[in-house]
């Protein structure tokens, strides 16, 4: 027999759950979300940013529900052979270990076929216990065809049709399933990049709006927020209307799709721009470039951040917690890092560095020396990031190592399976590493991921970043380094234009003139800074070095975090 009290309690739980769902006002949709190192549902910065955003939303009790896809074979596991060739291995994992499948299903139509969509629920618990649910959509379920089941296997795999089908699942399936799961009061839909912008069409369809000039379109616009993440035209998804018609079917009259999605192609960025009340770029420079790319649209800027606790090494977590109680929940208070004692900062760094060097020496045949200045470079291997800039003038590089001071370098990063230029970069770095063996120790670590990222950004002495301006919309790994007191040596692009105080938070490669510096000029500036600033300061002016570390945390750590960023989204986008 169930007692009356137990029944009452069960009833109360259900009511509370209902209230909680009612309170959820913001849906956040992203093609990738990187939230736990063991869940390979991300490829790089975009996904990691999404994960960090959700963690901060949970800490700040922002009523968000997040949606993405499950990617049962992950992005891929990277192996690099002795010739420097990248091999891509499937990364099978078991979602059941981390989350629960919800029983509700919805249907979307792909090429006229009904496809069932179900969701795994992962809960991100914030600092005070408030949780944000993240729904990982799954079509690999009974009743769906082989092909439709495969649509949730690979992140950024397959052809255009595969990609469009995934975007149907995310944008259209996403809106439908959160409603089906009981979240009936969503007021804002935040598109983290254009991949999810079909959600705008689903909202039009639900309101039965078939005339692009209808005043009701504004009601949809009021609900939509769009964050663009790349100034590279190829980074903006476009599909031919031939394909769109075939895959989307008669989802909406083509007239209305073309009115918002573009005349000649279905352009996911245009679609989001045309149907969002609030649009932003992810750094000030990126806002400027986006306005040039898309004249006629109002584009604001909210500079990216990182989740402070997630990216700080154990030793710095301890140190900061001793001197700045509460920094974990309020990274703004990292400004008080300004009074951290020198020896404490240095000891925390030495410990993080030792962990990294131990890892490198254990997993590769390198013999890295913890006393030698260690410079790190890790991010997606793709041409514009110029991982090979350091090797432009080998004689110069050798001379610096011989005359000014010993250096060692740690590289990591995956190339997209179809990015042949990116793969070539990996081969080149490995071949340069062999050439320099005995003079400059260089390793390329396999399988860059979030776990390795934390080890690297906290364990190196300097974080190197060399994108070709203005391709790096923001960049976030340098922000992670700053939280660990690690200064950046970076070309002036993305966040670094805002974060660089020369000789204090790091060093700029090149200057911020109107002319974009050539690769040769950038390399020259890189050598100059290594020779005159970075290496001499590290070996001969430890006091200044530690002062720089302190300023990295106090000035940049306190600002370039997702708590500050989410606050800005609240003020400018979510509550407007
Ligand atoms: C932070 C992070 C990135 C982004 O690095 P950028 O320097 O901004 O390109 C990419 N991959 C992983 C695994 C990360 O943790």
């Amino acid at each position: 027999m169930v007692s009356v009290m137990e029944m009452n309690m069960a009833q109360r739980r259900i009511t509370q759950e209902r209230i909680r769902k009612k309170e959820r006002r913001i849906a956040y949709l992203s093609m990738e979300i990187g939230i736990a190192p063991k869940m390979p549902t991300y490829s790089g910065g975009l996904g990691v940013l999404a994960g960090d955003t959700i963690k901060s939303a949970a800490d700040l009790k922002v009523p968000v529900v997040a949606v993405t896809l499950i990617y049962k074979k992950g992005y891929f596991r990277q192996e690099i052979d002795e010739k420097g060739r990248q091999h891509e291995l499937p990364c099978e994992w078991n979602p059941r270990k981390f989350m629960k499948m919800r029983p509700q299903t919805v249907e979307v139509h792909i090429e006229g076929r009904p496809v069932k969509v179900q969701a795994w629920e992962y809960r991100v618990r914030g600092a005070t216990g408030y949780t944000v649910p993240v729904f990982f959509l799954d079509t690999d379920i009974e009743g769906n065809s082989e092909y439709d089941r495969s649509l949730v296997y690979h992140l950024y795999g397959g052809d255009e049709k595969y990609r469009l089908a995934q975007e149907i699942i995310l944008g259209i399936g996403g809106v439908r399933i959160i409603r089906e799961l009981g979240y009936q009061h969503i007021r804002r839909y935040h598109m983290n990049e254009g991949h999810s912008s079909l959600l705008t069409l689903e909202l039009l369809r639900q309101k039965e709006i078939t005339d692009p000039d209808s005043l009701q379109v504004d009601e949809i616009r009021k609900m939509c927020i769009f964050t663009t993440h790349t100034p590279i035209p190829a980074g903006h998804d476009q599909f031919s209307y031939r394909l769109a018609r075939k895959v989307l079917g008669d989802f909406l009259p083509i007239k209305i799709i073309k009115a918002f999605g573009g005349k000649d192609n279905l352009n996911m960025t245009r679609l989001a721009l045309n149907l969002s009340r609030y649009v932003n770029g992810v750094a000030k420079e990126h806002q400027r470039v986006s306005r040039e790319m898309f004249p006629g649209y109002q584009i604001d800027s909210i500079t990216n951040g990182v989740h402070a606790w997630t990216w700080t090494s154990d030793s710095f977590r301890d140190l900061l917690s001793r001197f700045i109680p509460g920094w974990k929940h309020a990274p703004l208070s990292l400004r008080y890092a300004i009074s951290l004692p020198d020896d404490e900062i240095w000891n925390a760094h030495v410990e993080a560095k030792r962990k990294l060097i131990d890892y490198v020496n254990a997993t590769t045949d390198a013999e890295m020396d913890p006393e030698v200045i260690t410079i790190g470079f890790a991010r997606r291997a793709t041409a514009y990031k110029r991982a090979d800039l350091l090797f432009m003038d080998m004689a110069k590089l050798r001379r610096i190592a011989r005359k000014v001071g010993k250096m060692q370098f740690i590289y990591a990063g995956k190339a997209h399976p179809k990015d042949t230029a990116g793969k070539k970069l990996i081969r080149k770095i490995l071949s340069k590493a062999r050439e320099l063996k005995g003079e400059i120790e260089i390793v390329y670590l396999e399988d860059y991921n979030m776990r390795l990222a934390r080890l690297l950004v906290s364990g190196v002495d300097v974080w190197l970043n060399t994108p070709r301006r203005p391709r790096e919309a923001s960049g976030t790994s340098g922000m992670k380094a700053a939280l660990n007191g690690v200064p950046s040596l970076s070309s002036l692009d993305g966040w670094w234009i805002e974060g660089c105080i020369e000789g204090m938070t790091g060093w700029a490669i090149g200057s911020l003139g109107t002319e974009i510096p050539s690769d040769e000029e950038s390399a020259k500036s890189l050598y100059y800074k290594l020779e005159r600033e970075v290496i001499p300061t590290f070996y001969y002016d430890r006091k200044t070095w530690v002062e720089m570390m302190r300023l990295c945390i106090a000035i940049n750590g306190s600002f370039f975090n997702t708590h500050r960023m989410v606050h800005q989204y609240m003020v400018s986008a979510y509550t407007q």
Side-chain angles (χ1 to χ4, degrees):
M1 274 282 280
V2 182
S3 74
V4 173
M5 205 170 88
E6 278 172 311
M7 268 170 60
N8 281 347
M9 273 173 56
Q11 189 58 46
R12 241 183 65 201
R13 260 202 307 277
I14 292 166
T15 316
Q16 276 176 347
E17 179 66 20
R18 227 175 257 146
I19 292 170
R20 268 205 297 278
K21 285 185 175 174
K22 250 189 171 163
E23 285 169 354
R24 298 285 167 173
R25 295 297 168 85
I26 303 146
Y28 180 88
L29 285 86
S30 181
M31 192 71 156
E32 48 172 312
I33 295 182
I35 206 143
K38 288 192 172 145
M39 292 168 26
T41 53
Y42 63 93
S43 82
L46 182 74
V48 173
L49 175 83
D52 281 9
T53 303
I54 292 161
K55 286 174 193 167
S56 281
D59 288 341
L60 294 165
K61 300 189 183 173
V62 180
V64 173
V65 301
V67 185
T68 185
L69 306 192
I70 188 80
Y71 309 117
K72 294 211 167 143
K73 297 183 200 284
Y75 182 46
F76 64 85
R77 194 160 60 77
Q78 179 198 48
E79 278 183 14
I80 300 171
D81 66 21
E82 61 294 342
K83 294 221 165 78
R85 283 176 308 208
Q86 167 178 293
H87 298 274
E88 296 122 24
L89 289 85
C91 190
E92 305 268 358
W93 62 295
N94 185 2
R96 211 170 295 281
K97 275 196 188 151
F98 306 91
M99 44 195 154
K100 282 206 180 82
M101 179 70 112
R102 300 295 305 263
Q104 293 86 341
T105 59
V106 293
E107 234 175 56
V108 295
H109 278 79
I110 295 171
E111 292 181 286
R113 298 184 303 278
V115 176
K116 267 202 288 191
V117 181
Q118 214 169 339
W120 296 85
E121 179 172 1
Y122 181 89
R123 297 195 79 94
V124 175
R125 182 175 287 276
T128 55
Y130 185 82
T131 60
V132 168
V134 183
F135 295 107
F136 289 83
L137 305 185
D138 194 350
T139 58
D140 184 20
I141 50 182
E142 237 177 77
N144 285 340
S145 73
E146 246 350 78
Y147 179 77
D148 296 333
R149 294 180 76 136
S150 81
L151 291 171
V152 293
Y153 289 171
H154 300 285
L155 171 60
Y156 305 139
D159 56 9
E160 284 205 310
K161 184 173 88 172
Y162 186 86
R163 171 69 82 94
L164 182 55
Q166 286 187 325
E167 295 191 9
I168 290 175
I169 296 166
L170 178 65
I172 300 171
V175 169
R176 290 181 186 171
I177 205 145
I178 42 189
R179 188 174 269 217
E180 183 65 25
L181 289 164
Y183 301 95
Q184 307 274 355
H185 299 271
I186 301 293
R187 296 279 175 79
R188 295 288 180 274
Y189 290 89
H190 188 166
M191 292 166 264
N192 187 44
E193 192 47 283
H195 311 117
S196 54
S197 64
L198 289 174
L199 77 83
T200 57
L201 297 181
E202 169 63 6
L203 296 176
L204 289 174
R205 201 197 54 83
Q206 285 181 3
K207 279 233 183 308
E208 298 177 22
I209 302 171
T210 49
D211 172 9
D213 297 321
S214 158
L215 289 176
Q216 277 184 296
V217 173
D218 263 346
E219 288 174 35
I220 305 302
R221 254 187 218 113
K222 258 191 207 139
M223 295 201 284
C224 295
I225 295 153
F226 172 47
T227 303
T228 172
H229 285 270
T230 174
I232 303 171
H236 299 265
D237 279 344
Q238 296 196 39
F239 302 100
S240 74
Y241 277 115
R242 220 171 63 93
L243 183 71
R245 270 210 188 110
K246 181 165 167 257
V247 182
L248 274 164
D250 57 0
F251 174 71
L252 263 183
I254 196 76
K255 182 181 81 172
I256 193 158
I257 299 182
K258 284 190 172 179
F260 299 117
K263 225 170 57 230
D264 308 320
N265 282 305
L266 174 54
N267 181 321
M268 304 310 263
T269 303
R270 289 271 166 211
L271 185 59
L273 284 169
N274 284 327
L275 287 165
S276 297
R277 184 200 59 82
Y278 181 82
V279 179
N280 72 291
V282 291
K284 288 184 191 301
E285 171 74 355
H286 180 230
Q287 171 194 36
R288 194 190 59 74
V289 175
S290 301
R291 282 179 172 173
E292 274 176 16
M293 282 176 78
F294 308 111
Y297 295 95
Q298 266 201 13
I299 301 177
D300 198 9
S301 90
I302 295 179
T303 301
N304 281 164
V306 296
H307 188 254
W309 177 262
T310 297
W311 296 107
T312 310
S313 70
D314 292 342
S315 56
F316 269 97
R317 283 180 184 175
D318 284 352
L319 169 63
L320 295 170
S321 298
R322 274 189 289 125
F323 284 85
I324 314 174
W327 74 277
K328 179 179 176 184
H329 314 317
L332 187 69
S333 62
L334 287 174
R335 76 184 295 281
Y336 302 115
I338 210 76
S339 55
L340 290 176
D342 277 20
D343 56 335
E344 296 267 8
I345 295 179
W346 187 248
N347 292 341
H349 176 65
V350 166
E351 193 181 324
K353 185 172 180 179
R354 187 186 45 76
K355 269 194 185 164
L356 172 63
I357 302 286
D358 285 352
Y359 175 85
V360 171
N361 289 344
T363 55
T364 70
D365 58 7
E367 288 167 42
M368 295 234 159
D369 178 350
E371 298 295 322
V372 170
I373 188 171
T374 305
I375 300 178
F377 183 107
R379 45 186 60 82
R380 283 185 303 119
T382 192
Y384 83 84
K385 294 189 186 244
R386 298 189 296 190
D388 59 342
L389 194 69
L390 181 72
F391 309 109
M392 182 82 87
D393 183 343
M394 293 288 276
K396 177 92 189 160
L397 185 63
R398 285 191 163 105
R399 207 160 49 79
I400 296 172
R402 214 168 42 238
K403 296 238 165 97
V404 190
K406 275 191 91 167
M407 310 177 256
Q408 53 197 14
F409 291 86
I410 305 176
Y411 283 85
K414 296 174 181 172
H416 184 279
K418 288 187 186 141
D419 186 351
T420 45
K423 290 182 175 176
K424 205 168 138 194
L425 274 176
I426 299 176
R427 289 199 302 277
K428 182 166 171 188
I429 292 164
L430 267 120
S431 110
K432 296 294 180 190
R434 264 194 304 275
E435 247 181 277
L436 291 164
K437 189 86 189 161
E439 294 169 89
I440 303 174
E441 194 73 8
I442 299 170
V443 290
Y444 202 107
L445 300 178
E446 283 178 318
D447 204 32
Y448 185 48
N449 56 31
M450 287 171 68
R451 188 183 57 82
L452 204 49
R454 177 163 171 260
L455 196 62
L456 276 164
V457 295
S458 60
V460 297
D461 298 303
V462 177
W463 194 245
L464 179 64
N465 182 37
T466 51
R468 190 177 286 128
R469 198 167 106 218
R471 311 269 180 101
E472 194 66 88
S474 166
T476 52
S477 58
M479 302 175 185
K480 300 170 191 166
L483 278 163
N484 292 283
V486 170
S488 283
L489 169 59
S490 168
S491 42
L492 284 167
D493 198 12
W495 85 282
W496 192 234
I497 297 174
E498 296 161 52
C500 177
I501 308 173
E502 185 69 20
M504 294 209 215
T505 58
W507 306 268
I509 298 172
S511 57
L512 202 59
T514 40
E515 289 285 310
I516 305 284
S518 66
D519 291 352
E520 285 73 17
E521 286 165 339
S522 298
K524 232 173 144 176
S525 171
L526 167 58
Y527 296 132
Y528 182 87
K529 291 288 162 84
L530 281 173
E531 184 172 8
R532 300 294 178 90
E533 304 285 341
V534 181
I535 302 173
T537 312
F538 181 83
Y539 287 114
Y540 307 114
D541 189 359
R542 192 54 52 84
K543 183 131 192 82
T544 300
W545 191 271
V546 175
E547 176 64 8
M548 288 184 73
M549 295 187 69
R550 189 167 17 239
L551 294 175
C552 284
I553 305 172
I555 297 180
N556 284 347
S558 65
F559 183 82
F560 294 101
N561 58 71
T562 36
H563 277 57
R564 183 268 312 153
M565 187 197 82
V566 167
H567 264 296
Q568 282 188 290
Y569 279 105
M570 290 276 280
V571 172
S572 302
Y574 296 164
T575 58
Q576 283 297 309

